[in-house]
Amino acid sequence: MLIKRKRIILVLLSSLVVGGCQMSDEQSIETKSLDQKPSEVATEELPNTRALQDEFTREMIKSTKETEKGYYTLESKTGVYEMLFPTGGEIDGIGYTRKGESSEAFLVGILYNDKTEAQLSVKYTNVLSNDETGIGYAKELLTNSIGEDMKFEQIDGKGKVTYVAPFKRKETGSYGYGAYVNPDEGWGGVEIIYSTRCTDKTKPCDPQEETFKERAYKLISSVEFLNKNEVE
């Protein structure tokens, strides 16, 4: 009886050790995948978010690990800039356009956890100078694109300058923020339009609404320009 009990105990201990090793391996794999590029992770092992479940969108996501809660980091295919990207965002791959490192444009449909929706338009071009004339022209293009008069607020940041203004289209019922972000030196910049439509009359349809404004400014202010050495 004593021998049998010892055998049973040894079997149980062996099972625990093997099981513990398997759990550690699984946890290691899971932890490792969090720091990988989405393209390096099997589709079935990717986090179940709109951004990573969409084949085209995940090509532009830097890591499966969230940069901060609810946001990944998007890497421009031009290699010139990066910015935050909502986990509930999905890029329209059909409408995506790029010309080498000189220009890029795409649209993003965003669905937040609270069921609210927004649209993000991003356009980059390096043809405009970052002097008064070039920036004035960029703001004029943005205003014409939105079709409303806009009063821009200038925000100076580390290595960049941001011009942002709220807008509200009476005809379409859409509202949001338009912005132009350019680096301190060199040429070019990123035009951003963050918008939504007024569909629920019981809620304030105003770009100044706290949560909406916070989300818009988070994306706009997250744009960072990469120098050549960082890109390579």
Side-chain angles (χ1 to χ4, degrees), residues 38-39 43 46 49-61 77 89-93:
S39 60
T43 305
L46 288 168
T49 60
R50 289 185 78 219
L52 294 185
Q53 289 302 313
D54 180 69
E55 184 176 359
F56 184 87
T57 304
R58 64 173 173 261
E59 291 178 4
M60 297 181 67
I61 301 301
K77 289 188 176 184
E90 185 175 311
I91 298 172
D92 174 17

Side-chain angles (χ1 to χ4, degrees), residues 14 33 36 83 85 91 95 101 141 154 183-184 196-197 207 211 225:
S14 298
S33 70
Q36 288 180 304
M83 63 184 292
F85 189 88
I91 298 172
E101 296 181 0
L141 286 174
Q154 180 176 331
D184 284 343
T196 192
R197 290 184 180 278
T211 300
F225 295 96

Side-chain angles (χ1 to χ4, degrees), residues 71 112 114 116 194 207-217:
Y71 294 88
Y112 291 101
D114 60 5
T116 58
Y194 181 87
Q208 300 294 344
E209 192 275 322
E210 185 176 355
T211 300
F212 182 84
K213 182 177 181 179
E214 180 181 319
R215 288 170 173 170
Y217 269 70

Side-chain angles (χ1 to χ4, degrees), residues 164-179:
V164 59
F167 67 85
K168 193 169 184 177
R169 297 183 178 123
K170 295 179 181 179
E171 294 182 0
T172 62
S174 64
Y175 60 94
Y177 287 87

Side-chain angles (χ1 to χ4, degrees), residues 6-17:
K6 287 183 177 179
R7 287 178 178 173
I8 292 172
I9 292 172
L10 287 172
V11 170
L12 290 173
L13 288 172
S14 298
S15 299
L16 287 172
V17 171

Side-chain angles (χ1 to χ4, degrees), residues 220-232:
I220 292 168
S221 64
S222 72
V223 174
E224 295 292 340
F225 295 96
L226 309 172
N227 64 42
K228 192 71 175 178
N229 292 330
E230 290 175 329
V231 173
E232 294 175 348

